Amino acid sequence: MSSSDDSLARLAAVIESRKPANGGDPEKSYVSRLLAEGPDAFLKKIGEEATETVMAAKDGDPQKIVYEVADLWFHSMVALAYYGLSPQNVLDELERREGTSGIEEKALRKVRERSVAEMGKDMP
């Protein structure tokens, strides 16, 4: 059985290969079509899949939850590829957060955002 990192890396490689710039054909590939249509196309799908994930969770059906989360992850990976990012970027961020409580991490994020906003006020 392969590791999840390997599965994500393989899927990311397939998505990357389907980019129109890499020879992907929007007429033959769903991923290529999403990437060719741009952010509105894949962001709409992410929204739909997030909603379907919530609905599946509310229904409490484990199989449906897994299915919908897989769709959500897939479309999120298309977005990552579009912006030149990879699953490894997300894994690195999760590892960075490891050992930090969610409450603490959120508070630190707010402090950083406030600092950036205040720096922008000082600029002419």
Side-chain angles (χ1 to χ4, degrees):
M1 186 168 199
S2 65
S3 79
S4 58
D5 289 358
D6 291 342
S7 296
L8 291 174
R10 284 193 308 275
L11 179 55
V14 169
I15 292 170
E16 191 67 30
S17 75
R18 303 283 165 83
K19 284 182 172 181
N22 294 336
D25 183 352
E27 296 294 319
K28 296 179 182 175
S29 165
Y30 174 69
V31 170
S32 186
R33 184 175 49 222
L34 282 175
L35 292 168
E37 290 176 3
D40 285 347
F42 58 77
L43 294 176
K44 179 180 176 186
K45 288 302 296 180
I46 290 172
E48 289 172 9
E49 300 305 342
T51 299
E52 290 171 5
T53 298
V54 170
M55 291 168 46
K58 287 186 73 72
D59 290 345
D61 181 338
Q63 188 68 26
K64 284 171 74 174
I65 294 167
V66 169
Y67 182 87
E68 296 303 341
V69 170
D71 283 350
L72 178 58
W73 284 16
F74 171 80
H75 288 91
S76 295
M77 288 180 64
V78 170
L80 288 171
Y82 182 87
Y83 292 109
L85 300 166
S86 73
Q88 190 59 52
N89 296 113
V90 177
L91 294 171
D92 290 347
E93 176 60 16
L94 290 171
E95 287 176 14
R96 184 191 68 75
R97 295 179 187 184
E98 193 173 341
T100 304
S101 81
I103 294 170
E104 185 180 324
E105 198 281 328
K106 189 172 183 176
L108 289 171
R109 192 177 329 146
K110 286 183 180 183
V111 168
R112 277 189 233 115
E113 289 169 0
R114 207 173 307 125
S115 295
V116 169
E118 288 174 5
M119 288 175 58
K121 290 179 187 176
D122 295 338
M123 298 181 117

